[in-house]
Amino acid sequence: METESLTYNYLDDIDEIKKLWWLHDSFWHASLVREFGPETANRINLKTNERLFRMLTMMLLKRGIITRPESIQDLMGVFKTIWKTCFFDDMYITEPITCERNNATWIGSECNAYDSITRAGMASGYACGCQAIRNGVMKALRLKPLHTIEESLVKGNGRCVIKLVFEPS
């Protein structure tokens, strides 16, 4: 009797790997909150997010997957590549982005991290990591990390509205 291979090729389902990574991230943050309290957990989480996304951006640059942007439109293209690389279910990919001169506005209505912390009852006191992610990406690209969160799911606005400015360092 021939035995069928039970080996699963994870490359066939990369979204599942991404989901597991973000699940790990959620458990890690929840453990930090329990161990050190929300203020310290948020500080560590934001620092880690910035550093991770700075390193990821440098890796994507080195591999030629992205190039240093020369305009706000290029920068938003870089962000879409990073979002596609890191997030599952095409999160953020189809959300509307408007660009005018050196400014962009991104409006997001869904966030897996927000959904996860809400389900866990941890949204109160949670510091959204998106700003740290953008800081890491923009610093790696040698851009000033100029962006503001105008509205936020975490703050109860029902959507996120992010304004970015393209300005090389």
Side-chain angles (χ1 to χ4, degrees):
M1 180 174 154
E2 204 170 303
T3 307
E4 285 187 40
S5 173
L6 298 176
T7 306
Y8 178 75
N9 182 357
Y10 286 110
L11 296 177
D12 290 338
D13 199 350
I14 207 73
D15 256 9
E16 290 303 311
I17 296 170
K18 292 175 188 179
K19 286 177 188 176
L20 287 172
W21 166 252
W22 287 105
L23 182 60
H24 164 270
D25 181 65
S26 297
F27 288 148
W28 179 78
H29 187 266
S31 296
L32 285 175
V33 170
R34 283 191 298 278
E35 188 74 24
F36 302 110
E39 186 177 310
T40 299
N42 284 330
R43 183 177 44 79
I44 292 169
N45 191 48
L46 295 176
K47 185 176 182 179
T48 303
N49 277 337
E50 181 174 327
R51 191 170 208 160
L52 175 68
F53 277 84
R54 190 173 191 165
M55 291 176 69
L56 171 71
T57 303
M58 296 301 291
M59 181 187 75
L60 294 175
L61 281 167
K62 186 176 182 176
R63 292 187 178 175
I65 296 169
I66 60 171
T67 58
R68 293 194 192 283
E70 296 182 18
S71 68
I72 191 68
Q73 291 85 359
D74 291 348
L75 175 60
M76 297 316 294
V78 166
F79 276 117
K80 281 191 172 196
T81 298
I82 289 171
W83 295 331
K84 184 76 172 162
T85 302
C86 296
F87 302 117
F88 55 93
D89 297 338
D90 284 336
M91 190 169 75
Y92 304 150
I93 301 299
T94 59
E95 303 285 6
I97 299 171
T98 56
C99 297
E100 187 178 316
R101 294 185 299 277
N102 285 343
N103 302 295
T105 301
W106 173 82
I107 299 173
S109 59
E110 294 183 42
C111 176
N112 293 323
Y114 172 73
D115 293 344
S116 182
I117 62 162
T118 300
R119 279 192 305 274
M122 299 181 69
S124 177
Y126 175 75
C128 176
C130 288
Q131 185 154 352
I133 290 170
R134 285 189 302 280
N135 283 346
V137 171
M138 293 174 86
K139 287 177 181 179
L141 296 171
R142 297 187 191 134
L143 300 173
K144 292 181 182 177
L146 301 173
H147 49 99
T148 57
I149 301 171
E150 304 290 318
E151 295 179 37
S152 170
L153 289 165
V154 173
K155 293 179 183 174
N157 297 115
R159 67 182 188 165
C160 294
V161 177
I162 312 300
K163 297 198 180 241
L164 299 104
V165 178
F166 178 81
E167 188 174 320
S169 296

